[in-house]
CSV table of all heavy atoms in Angstrom, one decimal:
chain,number,residue,atom,x,y,z
Y,1,THR,N,29.0,19.4,-7.9
Y,1,THR,CA,27.9,19.1,-6.9
Y,1,THR,C,28.3,18.1,-5.9
Y,1,THR,O,29.1,17.2,-6.1
Y,1,THR,CB,26.6,18.6,-7.6
Y,1,THR,OG1,26.9,17.4,-8.2
Y,1,THR,CG2,26.1,19.6,-8.6
Y,2,VAL,N,27.6,18.2,-4.8
Y,2,VAL,CA,27.6,17.1,-3.8
Y,2,VAL,C,26.2,16.8,-3.5
Y,2,VAL,O,25.4,17.8,-3.2
Y,2,VAL,CB,28.4,17.6,-2.5
Y,2,VAL,CG1,28.3,16.5,-1.4
Y,2,VAL,CG2,29.8,17.9,-2.8
Y,3,SER,N,25.7,15.6,-3.6
Y,3,SER,CA,24.3,15.3,-3.4
Y,3,SER,C,24.0,14.0,-2.8
Y,3,SER,O,24.9,13.1,-2.9
Y,3,SER,CB,23.6,15.4,-4.8
Y,3,SER,OG,24.1,14.4,-5.6
Y,4,LEU,N,22.8,13.9,-2.3
Y,4,LEU,CA,22.3,12.6,-1.9
Y,4,LEU,C,20.8,12.7,-2.2
Y,4,LEU,O,20.0,13.2,-1.4
Y,4,LEU,CB,22.5,12.4,-0.4
Y,4,LEU,CG,21.9,11.1,0.2
Y,4,LEU,CD1,22.4,9.9,-0.5
Y,4,LEU,CD2,22.1,11.0,1.7
Y,5,ILE,N,20.4,12.2,-3.4
Y,5,ILE,CA,19.0,12.3,-3.9
Y,5,ILE,C,18.5,10.9,-4.1
Y,5,ILE,O,19.0,10.2,-5.0
Y,5,ILE,CB,18.9,13.2,-5.1
Y,5,ILE,CG1,19.5,14.5,-4.9
Y,5,ILE,CG2,17.5,13.2,-5.6
Y,5,ILE,CD1,19.7,15.4,-6.2
Y,6,ASN,N,17.5,10.5,-3.3
Y,6,ASN,CA,16.9,9.2,-3.4
Y,6,ASN,C,15.4,9.4,-3.8
Y,6,ASN,O,14.7,10.2,-3.1
Y,6,ASN,CB,17.0,8.4,-2.1
Y,6,ASN,CG,18.4,8.1,-1.7
Y,6,ASN,OD1,19.2,7.8,-2.6
Y,6,ASN,ND2,18.7,8.1,-0.5
Y,7,TYR,N,15.0,8.6,-4.8
Y,7,TYR,CA,13.6,8.7,-5.1
Y,7,TYR,C,13.0,7.3,-5.0
Y,7,TYR,O,13.6,6.3,-5.4
Y,7,TYR,CB,13.4,9.1,-6.6
Y,7,TYR,CG,13.8,10.5,-6.9
Y,7,TYR,CD1,14.7,10.8,-8.0
Y,7,TYR,CD2,13.2,11.6,-6.3
Y,7,TYR,CE1,15.0,12.1,-8.3
Y,7,TYR,CE2,13.5,12.9,-6.6
Y,7,TYR,CZ,14.4,13.1,-7.6
Y,7,TYR,OH,14.8,14.4,-7.9
Y,8,HIS,N,11.8,7.2,-4.4
Y,8,HIS,CA,11.0,6.0,-4.3
Y,8,HIS,C,9.9,6.1,-5.3
Y,8,HIS,O,9.1,7.0,-5.3
Y,8,HIS,CB,10.4,5.8,-2.9
Y,8,HIS,CG,9.5,4.7,-2.8
Y,8,HIS,ND1,8.4,4.7,-1.9
Y,8,HIS,CD2,9.4,3.5,-3.4
Y,8,HIS,CE1,7.8,3.5,-2.0
Y,8,HIS,NE2,8.4,2.8,-2.9
Y,9,PHE,N,10.0,5.2,-6.3
Y,9,PHE,CA,9.0,5.2,-7.4
Y,9,PHE,C,8.1,3.9,-7.2
Y,9,PHE,O,8.6,2.9,-6.9
Y,9,PHE,CB,9.7,5.0,-8.8
Y,9,PHE,CG,10.5,6.2,-9.2
Y,9,PHE,CD1,11.8,6.2,-9.1
Y,9,PHE,CD2,9.8,7.4,-9.7
Y,9,PHE,CE1,12.6,7.3,-9.5
Y,9,PHE,CE2,10.6,8.4,-10.1
Y,9,PHE,CZ,12.0,8.4,-10.0
Y,10,VAL,N,6.8,4.1,-7.6
Y,10,VAL,CA,5.9,3.0,-7.7
Y,10,VAL,C,5.1,3.2,-9.0
Y,10,VAL,O,4.6,4.3,-9.2
Y,10,VAL,CB,4.9,2.9,-6.5
Y,10,VAL,CG1,4.0,1.7,-6.7
Y,10,VAL,CG2,5.6,2.8,-5.2
Y,11,PHE,N,5.1,2.2,-9.9
Y,11,PHE,CA,4.4,2.3,-11.1
Y,11,PHE,C,3.8,0.9,-11.5
Y,11,PHE,O,4.3,-0.1,-11.0
Y,11,PHE,CB,5.2,2.9,-12.2
Y,11,PHE,CG,6.6,2.2,-12.5
Y,11,PHE,CD1,6.8,1.4,-13.5
Y,11,PHE,CD2,7.7,2.5,-11.6
Y,11,PHE,CE1,8.0,0.8,-13.7
Y,11,PHE,CE2,8.9,1.9,-11.8
Y,11,PHE,CZ,9.1,1.0,-12.9
Y,12,CYS,N,2.8,0.9,-12.4
Y,12,CYS,CA,2.0,-0.3,-12.7
Y,12,CYS,C,1.9,-0.5,-14.2
Y,12,CYS,O,1.8,0.5,-14.9
Y,12,CYS,CB,0.6,-0.1,-12.1
Y,12,CYS,SG,0.5,0.3,-10.4
Y,13,PRO,N,1.7,-1.7,-14.6
Y,13,PRO,CA,1.3,-2.0,-15.9
Y,13,PRO,C,-0.1,-1.5,-16.2
Y,13,PRO,O,-0.9,-1.4,-15.3
Y,13,PRO,CB,1.4,-3.5,-16.0
Y,13,PRO,CG,2.2,-4.0,-14.9
Y,13,PRO,CD,2.0,-3.0,-13.8
Y,14,ARG,N,-0.4,-1.3,-17.5
Y,14,ARG,CA,-1.7,-0.8,-17.9
Y,14,ARG,C,-2.8,-1.8,-17.4
Y,14,ARG,O,-2.6,-3.0,-17.4
Y,14,ARG,CB,-1.8,-0.8,-19.4
Y,14,ARG,CG,-1.5,0.5,-20.0
Y,14,ARG,CD,-1.8,0.5,-21.4
Y,14,ARG,NE,-2.9,1.4,-21.7
Y,14,ARG,CZ,-2.7,2.6,-22.4
Y,14,ARG,NH1,-1.6,2.9,-22.8
Y,14,ARG,NH2,-3.8,3.3,-22.6
Y,15,TYR,N,-3.9,-1.2,-16.9
Y,15,TYR,CA,-5.0,-2.0,-16.4
Y,15,TYR,C,-4.6,-2.9,-15.2
Y,15,TYR,O,-5.3,-3.9,-14.9
Y,15,TYR,CB,-5.7,-2.8,-17.5
Y,15,TYR,CG,-6.0,-2.0,-18.7
Y,15,TYR,CD1,-5.3,-2.3,-19.9
Y,15,TYR,CD2,-6.8,-0.9,-18.7
Y,15,TYR,CE1,-5.5,-1.6,-21.1
Y,15,TYR,CE2,-7.0,-0.1,-19.8
Y,15,TYR,CZ,-6.4,-0.5,-21.0
Y,15,TYR,OH,-6.6,0.3,-22.1
Y,16,ARG,N,-3.5,-2.6,-14.6
Y,16,ARG,CA,-3.0,-3.3,-13.4
Y,16,ARG,C,-2.8,-4.8,-13.8
Y,16,ARG,O,-3.0,-5.7,-12.9
Y,16,ARG,CB,-3.9,-3.1,-12.2
Y,16,ARG,CG,-3.3,-3.4,-10.9
Y,16,ARG,CD,-2.4,-2.2,-10.3
Y,16,ARG,NE,-1.7,-2.7,-9.2
Y,16,ARG,CZ,-1.7,-2.0,-8.0
Y,16,ARG,NH1,-2.3,-0.9,-7.9
Y,16,ARG,NH2,-1.0,-2.4,-7.0
Y,17,ARG,N,-2.5,-5.1,-15.0
Y,17,ARG,CA,-2.4,-6.5,-15.4
Y,17,ARG,C,-1.2,-7.2,-14.7
Y,17,ARG,O,-0.2,-6.6,-14.5
Y,17,ARG,CB,-2.1,-6.6,-16.9
Y,17,ARG,CG,-3.4,-6.3,-17.7
Y,17,ARG,CD,-3.2,-6.8,-19.2
Y,17,ARG,NE,-4.4,-6.7,-19.9
Y,17,ARG,CZ,-4.6,-5.8,-20.9
Y,17,ARG,NH1,-3.7,-4.9,-21.3
Y,17,ARG,NH2,-5.8,-5.8,-21.5
Y,18,LYS,N,-1.4,-8.4,-14.3
Y,18,LYS,CA,-0.3,-9.2,-13.6
Y,18,LYS,C,0.6,-9.8,-14.6
Y,18,LYS,O,0.6,-11.0,-14.8
Y,18,LYS,CB,-1.0,-10.2,-12.7
Y,18,LYS,CG,-1.8,-9.6,-11.6
Y,18,LYS,CD,-2.4,-10.7,-10.8
Y,18,LYS,CE,-3.3,-10.2,-9.6
Y,18,LYS,NZ,-3.4,-8.9,-9.3
Y,19,VAL,N,1.4,-9.0,-15.3
Y,19,VAL,CA,2.3,-9.5,-16.4
Y,19,VAL,C,3.8,-9.6,-15.9
Y,19,VAL,O,4.6,-10.2,-16.7
Y,19,VAL,CB,2.2,-8.6,-17.6
Y,19,VAL,CG1,0.8,-8.7,-18.2
Y,19,VAL,CG2,2.6,-7.2,-17.3
Y,20,LEU,N,4.1,-9.0,-14.8
Y,20,LEU,CA,5.5,-9.0,-14.4
Y,20,LEU,C,5.8,-10.3,-13.6
Y,20,LEU,O,6.0,-10.3,-12.4
Y,20,LEU,CB,5.8,-7.8,-13.5
Y,20,LEU,CG,5.5,-6.5,-14.3
Y,20,LEU,CD1,5.6,-5.3,-13.3
Y,20,LEU,CD2,6.5,-6.3,-15.4
Y,21,VAL,N,5.8,-11.4,-14.3
Y,21,VAL,CA,6.1,-12.7,-13.7
Y,21,VAL,C,7.1,-13.5,-14.5
Y,21,VAL,O,7.3,-13.2,-15.6
Y,21,VAL,CB,4.8,-13.6,-13.6
Y,21,VAL,CG1,3.8,-13.0,-12.6
Y,21,VAL,CG2,4.1,-13.7,-14.9
Y,22,SER,N,7.7,-14.5,-13.9
Y,22,SER,CA,8.7,-15.4,-14.4
Y,22,SER,C,9.7,-14.7,-15.4
Y,22,SER,O,10.4,-13.8,-14.9
Y,22,SER,CB,8.0,-16.6,-15.1
Y,22,SER,OG,7.2,-16.1,-16.2
Y,23,GLN,N,9.8,-15.0,-16.7
Y,23,GLN,CA,10.8,-14.5,-17.5
Y,23,GLN,C,10.6,-13.0,-17.8
Y,23,GLN,O,11.6,-12.3,-18.0
Y,23,GLN,CB,10.8,-15.2,-18.9
Y,23,GLN,CG,11.3,-16.6,-18.8
Y,23,GLN,CD,10.4,-17.5,-19.6
Y,23,GLN,OE1,9.2,-17.3,-19.8
Y,23,GLN,NE2,11.0,-18.6,-20.1
Y,24,VAL,N,9.4,-12.5,-17.8
Y,24,VAL,CA,9.1,-11.0,-18.0
Y,24,VAL,C,9.7,-10.3,-16.8
Y,24,VAL,O,10.4,-9.3,-17.0
Y,24,VAL,CB,7.6,-10.7,-18.1
Y,24,VAL,CG1,7.4,-9.2,-18.3
Y,24,VAL,CG2,7.1,-11.4,-19.3
Y,25,GLU,N,9.5,-10.8,-15.6
Y,25,GLU,CA,10.1,-10.1,-14.4
Y,25,GLU,C,11.6,-10.1,-14.4
Y,25,GLU,O,12.3,-9.1,-14.2
Y,25,GLU,CB,9.6,-10.9,-13.1
Y,25,GLU,CG,10.2,-10.3,-11.9
Y,25,GLU,CD,9.9,-11.1,-10.6
Y,25,GLU,OE1,9.2,-12.2,-10.7
Y,25,GLU,OE2,10.4,-10.7,-9.5
Y,26,ALA,N,12.2,-11.3,-14.8
Y,26,ALA,CA,13.7,-11.4,-14.8
Y,26,ALA,C,14.2,-10.4,-15.9
Y,26,ALA,O,15.2,-9.7,-15.6
Y,26,ALA,CB,14.1,-12.8,-15.1
Y,27,ARG,N,13.6,-10.4,-17.0
Y,27,ARG,CA,14.1,-9.5,-18.1
Y,27,ARG,C,13.9,-8.0,-17.7
Y,27,ARG,O,14.8,-7.2,-18.0
Y,27,ARG,CB,13.4,-9.8,-19.4
Y,27,ARG,CG,13.9,-9.0,-20.6
Y,27,ARG,CD,15.4,-9.3,-20.9
Y,27,ARG,NE,15.8,-8.5,-22.1
Y,27,ARG,CZ,16.9,-7.8,-22.1
Y,27,ARG,NH1,17.7,-7.7,-21.1
Y,27,ARG,NH2,17.1,-7.1,-23.2
Y,28,PHE,N,12.8,-7.7,-17.1
Y,28,PHE,CA,12.6,-6.4,-16.6
Y,28,PHE,C,13.7,-5.9,-15.7
Y,28,PHE,O,14.2,-4.8,-15.8
Y,28,PHE,CB,11.2,-6.2,-15.9
Y,28,PHE,CG,11.0,-4.9,-15.3
Y,28,PHE,CD1,10.7,-3.8,-16.0
Y,28,PHE,CD2,11.1,-4.8,-13.9
Y,28,PHE,CE1,10.5,-2.5,-15.4
Y,28,PHE,CE2,10.9,-3.6,-13.2
Y,28,PHE,CZ,10.6,-2.5,-14.0
Y,29,LYS,N,14.0,-6.8,-14.7
Y,29,LYS,CA,15.1,-6.5,-13.7
Y,29,LYS,C,16.4,-6.2,-14.5
Y,29,LYS,O,17.2,-5.3,-14.1
Y,29,LYS,CB,15.2,-7.6,-12.7
Y,29,LYS,CG,14.1,-7.6,-11.7
Y,29,LYS,CD,14.3,-8.7,-10.7
Y,29,LYS,CE,13.3,-8.7,-9.6
Y,29,LYS,NZ,13.5,-9.8,-8.6
Y,30,GLU,N,16.7,-7.1,-15.5
Y,30,GLU,CA,18.0,-6.9,-16.2
Y,30,GLU,C,18.0,-5.5,-16.9
Y,30,GLU,O,19.0,-4.8,-16.9
Y,30,GLU,CB,18.1,-8.0,-17.3
Y,30,GLU,CG,18.5,-9.3,-16.8
Y,30,GLU,CD,18.4,-10.4,-17.9
Y,30,GLU,OE1,18.3,-10.0,-19.1
Y,30,GLU,OE2,18.5,-11.6,-17.6
Y,31,LEU,N,16.8,-5.2,-17.6
Y,31,LEU,CA,16.7,-3.9,-18.3
Y,31,LEU,C,16.9,-2.7,-17.4
Y,31,LEU,O,17.6,-1.8,-17.7
Y,31,LEU,CB,15.4,-3.8,-19.0
Y,31,LEU,CG,15.2,-4.7,-20.2
Y,31,LEU,CD1,13.8,-4.8,-20.7
Y,31,LEU,CD2,16.1,-4.3,-21.4
Y,32,VAL,N,16.3,-2.8,-16.2
Y,32,VAL,CA,16.4,-1.7,-15.2
Y,32,VAL,C,17.9,-1.6,-14.8
Y,32,VAL,O,18.4,-0.5,-14.7
Y,32,VAL,CB,15.5,-2.0,-14.0
Y,32,VAL,CG1,15.8,-1.0,-12.9
Y,32,VAL,CG2,14.1,-1.8,-14.4
Y,33,GLN,N,18.6,-2.7,-14.5
Y,33,GLN,CA,20.0,-2.6,-14.1
Y,33,GLN,C,20.8,-2.0,-15.2
Y,33,GLN,O,21.7,-1.2,-14.9
Y,33,GLN,CB,20.5,-4.0,-13.7
Y,33,GLN,CG,19.9,-4.5,-12.4
Y,33,GLN,CD,20.2,-5.9,-12.0
Y,33,GLN,OE1,20.5,-6.7,-12.9
Y,33,GLN,NE2,20.1,-6.2,-10.7
Y,34,GLU,N,20.6,-2.4,-16.5
Y,34,GLU,CA,21.3,-1.8,-17.6
Y,34,GLU,C,21.1,-0.3,-17.7
Y,34,GLU,O,22.1,0.4,-17.9
Y,34,GLU,CB,20.9,-2.5,-18.9
Y,34,GLU,CG,21.4,-3.9,-19.0
Y,34,GLU,CD,20.7,-4.7,-20.2
Y,34,GLU,OE1,20.1,-4.0,-21.1
Y,34,GLU,OE2,20.8,-5.9,-20.3
Y,35,LEU,N,19.9,0.1,-17.6
Y,35,LEU,CA,19.5,1.5,-17.7
Y,35,LEU,C,20.2,2.3,-16.6
Y,35,LEU,O,20.6,3.4,-16.8
Y,35,LEU,CB,18.0,1.7,-17.6
Y,35,LEU,CG,17.3,1.6,-19.0
Y,35,LEU,CD1,15.8,1.5,-18.7
Y,35,LEU,CD2,17.6,2.8,-19.8
Y,36,CYS,N,20.1,1.7,-15.4
Y,36,CYS,CA,20.7,2.4,-14.2
Y,36,CYS,C,22.2,2.6,-14.4
Y,36,CYS,O,22.8,3.6,-14.1
Y,36,CYS,CB,20.3,1.7,-12.9
Y,36,CYS,SG,18.6,1.9,-12.5
Y,37,GLN,N,22.8,1.6,-14.8
Y,37,GLN,CA,24.3,1.6,-15.1
Y,37,GLN,C,24.6,2.7,-16.1
Y,37,GLN,O,25.5,3.5,-15.9
Y,37,GLN,CB,24.8,0.3,-15.6
Y,37,GLN,CG,26.0,-0.2,-14.8
Y,37,GLN,CD,26.3,-1.6,-15.2
Y,37,GLN,OE1,25.7,-2.3,-16.1
Y,37,GLN,NE2,27.4,-2.1,-14.6
Y,38,LYS,N,23.9,2.7,-17.2
Y,38,LYS,CA,24.1,3.6,-18.3
Y,38,LYS,C,23.9,5.1,-17.9
Y,38,LYS,O,24.6,6.0,-18.3
Y,38,LYS,CB,23.1,3.3,-19.4
Y,38,LYS,CG,23.2,4.2,-20.7
Y,38,LYS,CD,22.2,3.7,-21.7
Y,38,LYS,CE,22.0,4.7,-22.8
Y,38,LYS,NZ,21.0,4.4,-23.7
Y,39,ASN,N,22.9,5.3,-17.0
Y,39,ASN,CA,22.5,6.7,-16.6
Y,39,ASN,C,23.1,7.1,-15.2
Y,39,ASN,O,22.8,8.2,-14.7
Y,39,ASN,CB,21.0,6.8,-16.5
Y,39,ASN,CG,20.4,6.8,-17.9
Y,39,ASN,OD1,20.5,7.8,-18.6
Y,39,ASN,ND2,19.8,5.7,-18.2
Y,40,ASP,N,24.0,6.3,-14.7
Y,40,ASP,CA,24.6,6.6,-13.4
Y,40,ASP,C,23.6,6.7,-12.2
Y,40,ASP,O,23.8,7.6,-11.4
Y,40,ASP,CB,25.5,7.8,-13.5
Y,40,ASP,CG,26.6,7.8,-12.5
Y,40,ASP,OD1,26.9,6.8,-11.8
Y,40,ASP,OD2,27.2,8.9,-12.3
Y,41,TRP,N,22.6,5.9,-12.3
Y,41,TRP,CA,21.6,5.8,-11.2
Y,41,TRP,C,22.0,4.6,-10.3
Y,41,TRP,O,22.4,3.5,-10.9
Y,41,TRP,CB,20.2,5.6,-11.7
Y,41,TRP,CG,19.7,6.7,-12.6
Y,41,TRP,CD1,20.1,8.0,-12.7
Y,41,TRP,CD2,18.8,6.5,-13.7
Y,41,TRP,NE1,19.4,8.6,-13.7
Y,41,TRP,CE2,18.6,7.7,-14.3
Y,41,TRP,CE3,18.0,5.4,-14.1
Y,41,TRP,CZ2,17.8,7.9,-15.4
Y,41,TRP,CZ3,17.2,5.6,-15.2
Y,41,TRP,CH2,17.0,6.8,-15.8
Y,42,LEU,N,21.9,4.7,-9.0
Y,42,LEU,CA,22.2,3.5,-8.2
Y,42,LEU,C,20.9,2.9,-7.6
Y,42,LEU,O,20.0,3.7,-7.1
Y,42,LEU,CB,23.1,4.0,-7.0
Y,42,LEU,CG,24.4,4.7,-7.4
Y,42,LEU,CD1,25.1,5.2,-6.1
Y,42,LEU,CD2,25.3,3.8,-8.2
Y,43,ILE,N,20.8,1.6,-7.8
Y,43,ILE,CA,19.6,0.9,-7.2
Y,43,ILE,C,19.8,0.7,-5.8
Y,43,ILE,O,20.7,-0.1,-5.4
Y,43,ILE,CB,19.3,-0.4,-8.0
Y,43,ILE,CG1,19.1,-0.1,-9.5
Y,43,ILE,CG2,18.1,-1.1,-7.4
Y,43,ILE,CD1,19.0,-1.4,-10.3
Y,44,VAL,N,19.0,1.3,-4.9
Y,44,VAL,CA,19.1,1.1,-3.5
Y,44,VAL,C,18.2,-0.1,-3.2
Y,44,VAL,O,18.6,-1.0,-2.4
Y,44,VAL,CB,18.5,2.3,-2.7
Y,44,VAL,CG1,18.6,2.1,-1.2
Y,44,VAL,CG2,19.3,3.6,-3.1
């Protein structure tokens, strides 16, 4: 294949709770980067 597929996702915590702050935010970003590397997804 030859491809250029970009997806823009928006998603929220349950009940729109403001939980993605400080260490939770930092750890979430690390986890996303690890998952993207593992699955060959590129973070634009």
Side-chain angles (χ1 to χ4, degrees):
T1 64
V2 177
S3 66
L4 178 59
I5 302 171
N6 293 325
Y7 293 127
H8 173 209
F9 293 102
V10 182
F11 53 102
C12 309
R14 267 187 115 108
Y15 312 116
R16 199 83 190 232
R17 287 195 171 112
K18 294 178 180 358
V19 296
L20 301 170
V21 293
S22 62
Q23 292 137 329
V24 177
E25 176 188 0
R27 183 64 177 129
F28 171 76
K29 287 180 175 179
E30 286 174 13
L31 290 167
V32 170
Q33 288 172 338
E34 290 168 15
L35 275 166
C36 288
Q37 232 175 357
K38 180 181 168 187
N39 290 286
D40 204 14
W41 305 329
L42 304 177
I43 299 172
V44 180

